[in-house]
Amino acid sequence: MTDDVLTHSSDESDLLSGRCSPADQEPEILSLRPGRLSEYIGQADVVETLKIAIEAAMQRGEPIDHVLFHGPPGLGKTTLAHIIANETGTHLTITSGPALEKGGDLIGLLTRLEEGDILLIDEIHRIPKTVEEFLYPAMEDFAVDFMFDKGIHARSHRYRLNRFALVGATTRVGLLSAPLRDRFGIFRNLNFYSIQDLEIIVKRSARLLEIEIDPQGATELAMRSRGTPRIVNRLLKRVRDYSQVRAEGIITQKTTQIALNLEGVDKKGLTSLDRRYLKTIIDYYHGGPVGIEAIAATLQEESDTLVDVVEPYLLKIGMILRTSSGRRTTESACEHLASLEPFSA
Ligand code: ADE
């Protein structure tokens, strides 16, 4: 993976392929995750859509429509899948696109789902085409079609599934095929969180972890978390360590600044990978425009990591522009980097 701070997805081995009740997984992270829509902070329109869909489906005694969440890592796609299962009193099964190598892998999961269960496929844009084709009848008719023999002897057998809801999660909605995209009834983008929402989230997490944090400490953490709850919760733990060992145990603006500077997280929340990315465009390519593959080669990083993890936030805060001829840095990126000297990449 990339910079620690930006680490976002669980190991593939963590992505359970077996059915579980939501509370079985990631006990520490889960305890910080809201378990109910009423506890969920931010993404107000998505929360409202889900409240309506869940209530309506429960009144009808049906599973909710299939849901697709897209957006940068760490914004709550998996958390919302856990919440949907909690709210509907069903089980959640989690897998990922790359873990589903063969049709049989998916069929094994589908046939074990009980009525109303939720199946989360993370990184659904990476599902192999051959496996994707089994999803179409499963989503549309709650059935899987088995083929026996080939050529003129070919026969198919339709196996009925329990009715379930698929939750797809992706950082790259543009890579989804149209037939797959069109089979989701609910299709929502998750946006970066405001500083105010992150302050509320970090205060809630501090309360759950029994950490003392003052309002300025919460604001500083929120400002350095790239609009991302997963990052604010991770950084909270780093600042807790620092405050415990090098200060009086209370998280303040000062302890947050020192602890996060040590982590390489600057006042705008950029990490060393973000700064190296910006500097590469400025120093090697005169501010751009430059193609993503050239930047990736210079940085010796995967272009997918840059596109999924680094660029969305830099675009959001206006430090880069994506044009038809490539990426360009803006004046604000140059000013930010200059303001950090000598604290730089
Ligand atoms: N923890 C992580 N994300 C959260 C959210 N959106 N609301 C409340 N707590 C959270």
Side-chain angles (χ1 to χ4, degrees), residues 32-34 39-43 74-76 79 193 201 204-205 229-230 233:
L32 294 184
R33 278 182 177 156
E39 299 168 34
Y40 199 93
I41 294 155
Q43 312 289 350
L75 299 188
T79 301
Y193 290 62
I201 290 171
R204 175 182 178 275
S205 300
R230 185 184 290 155
N233 284 336

Side-chain angles (χ1 to χ4, degrees), residues 85-217:
N86 282 343
E87 295 280 357
T88 53
T90 57
H91 294 106
L92 172 67
T93 297
I94 305 181
T95 187
S96 75
L100 298 170
E101 289 175 9
K102 301 183 297 308
D105 299 332
L106 177 66
I107 292 170
L109 293 178
L110 291 171
T111 51
R112 265 178 269 144
L113 296 175
E114 288 174 12
E115 184 72 14
D117 275 0
I118 310 294
L119 175 65
L120 167 64
I121 305 184
D122 197 15
E123 295 190 77
I124 195 167
H125 62 277
R126 293 178 61 193
I127 197 167
K129 194 77 208 154
T130 48
V131 180
E132 181 176 322
E133 278 164 14
F134 284 99
L135 262 185
Y136 301 158
M139 292 174 77
E140 225 156 84
D141 305 323
F142 302 112
V144 277
D145 294 316
F146 292 98
M147 289 298 291
F148 299 99
D149 296 340
K150 289 197 175 124
I152 54 166
H153 300 295
R155 287 168 295 132
S156 90
H157 174 72
R158 181 155 264 223
Y159 180 91
R160 290 252 150 243
L161 299 169
N162 286 316
R163 293 177 309 168
F164 69 100
L166 177 66
V167 177
T170 178
T171 50
R172 296 277 196 98
V173 73
L175 298 186
L176 247 62
S177 71
L180 181 55
R181 215 177 41 223
D182 294 345
R183 284 176 167 82
F184 287 95
I186 300 173
F187 192 96
R188 299 310 299 244
N189 178 231
L190 298 188
N191 294 313
F192 288 109
Y193 290 62
S194 67
I195 303 288
Q196 290 81 356
D197 285 344
L198 289 172
E199 282 171 355
I200 301 172
I201 290 171
V202 80
K203 285 179 188 164
R204 175 182 178 275
S205 300
R207 210 168 41 245
L208 292 172
L209 295 171
E210 299 180 6
I211 307 171
E212 238 186 290
I213 182 167
D214 74 13
Q216 294 75 23

Side-chain angles (χ1 to χ4, degrees), residues 224-299:
R224 291 181 183 233
S225 295
R226 302 175 102 254
T228 307
R230 185 184 290 155
I231 297 181
V232 89
N233 284 336
R234 193 186 110 73
L235 296 183
L236 173 66
K237 292 178 188 167
R238 298 286 63 72
V239 183
R240 165 178 66 175
D241 289 353
Y242 180 87
S243 306
Q244 181 185 321
V245 174
R246 295 285 157 87
E248 269 97 68
I250 300 171
I251 297 181
T252 62
Q253 183 176 35
K254 179 111 180 289
T255 58
T256 305
Q257 285 169 342
I258 301 173
L260 294 188
N261 285 350
L262 271 174
E263 285 281 306
V265 173
D266 69 32
K267 58 191 175 190
K268 287 209 186 279
L270 305 196
T271 64
S272 82
L273 181 59
D274 294 317
R275 292 187 294 274
R276 282 172 50 226
Y277 171 95
L278 293 173
K279 280 188 177 172
T280 298
I281 302 181
I282 295 167
D283 295 347
Y284 287 80
Y285 300 102
H286 313 290
V290 53
I292 188 65
E293 294 304 335
I295 304 171
T298 312
L299 280 171

